[in-house]
Amino acid sequence: RCGASEANAALVAEVLVAADRRGVPSHGVNRAEMYCGELRAKLIDSSATPAVVPGTETVSAAAVDGNNGLGAVVSRFAMELCMRKAKATGVGLVVCRRSNHFGIAGYWSELALREGLIGFAFTNTSPFMVPTRACQRAGGTNPIAFYCPAGEDSFQLDMATTTVPVGKVEVCHRKRQHIPMGWGVDSTGTRSTTDPSQVLGGGGLTPLGGLEETAGYKGYGLNMMVEILC
């Protein structure tokens, strides 16, 4: 009862439940409260319809304007367009702008997998990561999802380019649990902490790999790659 149509609400629910079923509660129904809050505050246009940006479409590529709609709605439109192009020409590349949180990246790669295609999905996010040799946030969790069919089996990769997604820290914070050393840093940007409140309240996440001495700069590089692509 937050303004979304029944069809759009059902899609969002499907994406959230898919995350819980995969054992990723940080992106599951846990996120429903955030979505409802944004809809009630009119931060998301519940009735928005995504559309191809005029002048951007080719036989294999396109840019989509999400018109500030629900991330799942925009992403489904984009993936369906991308898959049609891939089937027609061998490759499809579709980018989105003015969209919102789209759930687990792997949900969208799995749509391609079901059609016998290799599927990539990336997104940038609000800044939560403190880069190598930095002292404040300057990058998102910026996930990478890559799914590839392999006969009766498949390869499925869905990962943040930070050591963990911020949702895992939020879950620990709600449960009043410590986080493992290496997940995040305090407000100095250089000291690891096991206190989730320090990570959420002025600190930040480490890049995949952790601090510099454990090669966190590699995760930082992947994080920036996603930022550039998105």
Side-chain angles (χ1 to χ4, degrees):
R1 300 179 183 275
C2 298
S5 68
E6 184 174 341
N8 288 350
L11 172 62
V12 171
E14 181 180 329
V15 175
L16 296 180
V17 170
D20 280 324
R21 291 182 64 189
R22 289 187 71 91
V24 190
S26 60
H27 286 62
V29 294
N30 167 63
R31 288 290 175 199
E33 181 181 359
M34 180 185 79
Y35 292 168
C36 289
E38 290 177 339
L39 286 167
R40 290 191 183 106
K42 307 299 183 183
L43 297 175
I44 297 176
D45 185 346
S46 62
S47 61
T49 301
V52 174
V53 177
T56 66
E57 189 167 16
T58 69
V59 292
S60 295
V64 168
D65 188 341
N67 291 310
N68 196 35
L70 287 158
V73 175
V74 178
S75 298
R76 179 178 60 183
F77 178 89
M79 279 302 299
E80 289 177 348
L81 175 62
C82 192
M83 290 188 293
R84 289 197 298 271
K85 292 181 178 298
K87 290 178 179 179
T89 69
V91 63
L93 174 64
V94 176
V95 296
C96 303
R97 67 190 191 196
R98 297 209 299 160
S99 184
N100 289 286
H101 194 279
F102 73 171
I104 52 170
Y107 181 91
W108 308 107
S109 293
E110 188 172 357
L111 294 185
L113 181 70
R114 293 174 188 169
E115 297 295 321
L117 302 170
I118 294 175
F120 282 93
F122 309 93
T123 186
N124 59 355
T125 77
S126 301
F128 291 109
M129 180 200 69
V130 178
T132 305
R133 298 193 180 184
C135 59
Q136 61 186 20
R137 299 177 182 180
T141 54
N142 295 13
I144 296 172
F146 170 75
Y147 282 31
C148 178
E152 296 182 359
D153 203 350
S154 62
F155 175 80
Q156 301 183 15
L157 171 69
D158 182 0
M159 68 177 204
T161 53
T162 47
T163 300
V164 292
V166 70
K168 285 194 174 183
V169 179
E170 292 171 341
V171 169
C172 289
H173 185 254
R174 290 193 190 97
K175 293 181 176 180
R176 298 183 179 180
Q177 296 174 342
H178 289 299
I179 59 174
M181 187 67 76
W183 280 18
V185 293
D186 63 17
S187 59
T188 67
T190 59
R191 289 195 299 257
S192 290
T193 179
T194 60
D195 184 346
S197 65
Q198 291 190 10
V199 175
L200 298 172
L205 300 172
T206 56
L208 182 63
L211 299 178
E212 184 172 0
E213 55 264 34
T214 52
Y217 48 82
K218 295 181 180 180
Y220 176 31
L222 288 172
N223 188 281
M224 288 306 299
M225 179 192 75
V226 175
E227 190 72 35
I228 291 166
L229 289 172
C230 294

